Amino acid sequence: MKLKGNSVFKSWAGIYWIMIIPALVWMFFINIVPMFGIVMAFQDFNPGKGFLHSRFVGLENFRYMLEMKDVGQIFINTIVIAVGKLVLNVVVPVIFALLLNEVKNLLFKKTIQTIVYLPHFISWVVMGGILLDVFGLYGPLNGVLSSFGIKKIAFFRSSDLFRPLVIGTDVWKEFGFNAVIYLAALTGINPALYEAAAIDGAGHWKQMLYITLPSLKPIIVLMTILALGNILNAGFDQIYNLYNQAVYSTGDIIDTWVYRVGLNDMQFSLATAVGLLKSVVGFFLISGSYLIAYKKMNYRIF
């Protein structure tokens, strides 16, 4: 009877392995095969000659990349925007979760949560068009400013305003979704702790300070550490749909620069070199962040 059970288990295990074959094939052709294209970073790539016959130049593309002024600026832009998003996408959702947790009316609470949750599901293609209209010279925001006698502002054509707008609109779009994690953590706090604190005379503020926040600290630290791995991903979709030539100096990030130089200017080798450098740095950042998460929070993927 034991052998029969084992044979049934093995037959089911075989079926499960067969079920994941299409996913493995898809991953191989979509994720693994294109990686051979990194050889372009070490070549003077010519599309007519292909990978095999293009001239090998070694680290020349990387040397040229480091000599370009634009590359230093795009790395700075990427880090500034990514760090701004990282910090505010932790702080704002936590504050919102704490405030929403204090709402006692369940219907109102669920309604507010749903409203702020919805923008997450709108793509940046659609959201970008909406924001460009709202913040445009003839948009509703400038209409309100004009009614108060304030001069119209070209928001998304201002290099000084572009970064704050990118960071602010990303936080506005995602804070409702990110708050779900913290709301779930709040529901796991033992109510007896609040009852004991109330008996001791602690008000809402002290309960939040000494019970709620310490209880949320592990998940806050964990989410922050894991986000550090994506510090070089400042949001291609968002910036590509919002930026223009007037804000390249402060809004151009690694991904948009690689796209523009690699596809529009057809400098395939240079763009590949920059993209490869970003991927290598990102790999070490992700590995380091998960190592820290494992050491400090006992978090593991497998």
Side-chain angles (χ1 to χ4, degrees):
M1 196 69 183
K2 184 178 180 181
L3 292 175
K4 183 177 179 181
N6 288 336
S7 63
V8 171
F9 174 78
K10 290 180 179 178
S11 65
W12 277 106
I15 293 174
Y16 290 144
W17 277 107
I18 293 173
M19 289 174 64
I20 68 171
I21 287 177
L24 293 175
V25 172
W26 174 269
M27 184 183 71
F28 176 76
F29 285 105
I30 301 300
N31 295 86
I32 305 300
V33 172
M35 290 184 66
F36 291 102
I38 65 175
V39 72
M40 288 191 295
F42 307 96
Q43 294 178 329
D44 181 13
F45 180 72
N46 186 326
K49 295 181 180 180
F51 299 124
L52 300 179
H53 303 289
S54 293
R55 185 169 62 92
F56 181 78
V57 296
L59 299 176
E60 185 63 30
N61 290 314
F62 293 92
R63 189 178 297 109
Y64 178 62
M65 173 191 70
L66 295 176
E67 293 174 354
M68 295 181 64
K69 295 180 180 179
D70 290 350
V71 172
Q73 187 60 47
I74 65 169
F75 271 94
I76 292 173
N77 295 341
T78 302
I79 293 173
V80 169
I81 293 173
V83 169
K85 288 182 177 181
L86 186 153
V87 172
L88 291 180
N89 273 320
V90 172
V91 174
V92 175
V94 168
I95 294 174
F96 174 74
L98 292 173
L99 293 174
L100 193 62
N101 189 57
E102 294 297 320
V103 177
K104 303 305 179 184
N105 189 312
L106 187 60
L107 178 61
F108 180 74
K109 183 177 180 179
K110 295 296 184 183
T111 302
I112 294 298
Q113 186 176 350
T114 302
I115 291 173
V116 300
Y117 189 78
L118 289 177
H120 169 77
F121 298 99
I122 302 176
S123 72
W124 275 114
V125 176
V126 177
M127 186 64 74
I130 295 173
L131 292 173
L132 290 175
D133 286 338
V134 171
F135 288 91
L137 276 176
Y138 302 99
L141 183 57
N142 270 312
V144 173
L145 294 178
S146 298
S147 65
F148 287 97
I150 301 175
K151 186 180 178 181
K152 291 183 177 180
I153 303 172
F155 288 96
F156 280 106
R157 296 189 66 84
S158 170
S159 57
D160 294 329
L161 295 176
F162 187 78
R163 284 179 186 167
L165 284 171
V166 165
I167 296 171
T169 53
D170 181 78
V171 173
W172 168 77
K173 184 176 183 291
E174 300 295 339
F175 83 92
F177 181 80
N178 294 334
V180 172
I181 298 172
Y182 303 109
L183 287 169
L186 287 171
T187 60
I189 300 176
N190 190 347
L193 295 175
Y194 292 106
E195 294 173 2
I199 293 173
D200 290 338
H204 284 292
W205 173 251
K206 288 190 176 181
Q207 290 178 22
M208 181 186 301
L209 192 61
Y210 294 107
I211 298 176
T212 307
L213 288 178
S215 299
L216 287 180
K217 182 181 177 180
I219 189 66
I220 294 173
V221 173
L222 176 61
M223 296 303 295
T224 304
I225 291 173
L226 296 181
L228 289 174
N230 293 316
I231 198 67
L232 293 183
N233 293 323
F236 172 80
D237 292 346
Q238 179 193 15
I239 294 178
Y240 181 75
N241 285 285
L242 292 176
Y243 84 150
N244 52 75
Q245 291 184 1
V247 295
Y248 280 172
S249 60
T250 57
D252 207 13
I253 61 172
I254 297 173
D255 293 332
T256 55
W257 188 89
V258 167
Y259 173 84
R260 194 175 69 256
V261 171
L263 295 182
N264 295 351
D265 299 343
M266 300 185 67
Q267 299 185 47
F268 301 109
S269 296
L270 178 60
T272 305
V274 176
L276 178 59
L277 178 62
K278 177 203 167 185
S279 298
V280 171
V281 174
F283 172 77
F284 285 106
L285 287 174
I286 291 173
S287 301
S289 64
Y290 276 95
L291 179 62
I292 295 172
Y294 172 69
K295 294 292 185 181
K296 299 297 183 180
M297 311 301 299
N298 199 29
Y299 173 86
R300 62 180 67 189
I301 305 175
F302 304 107

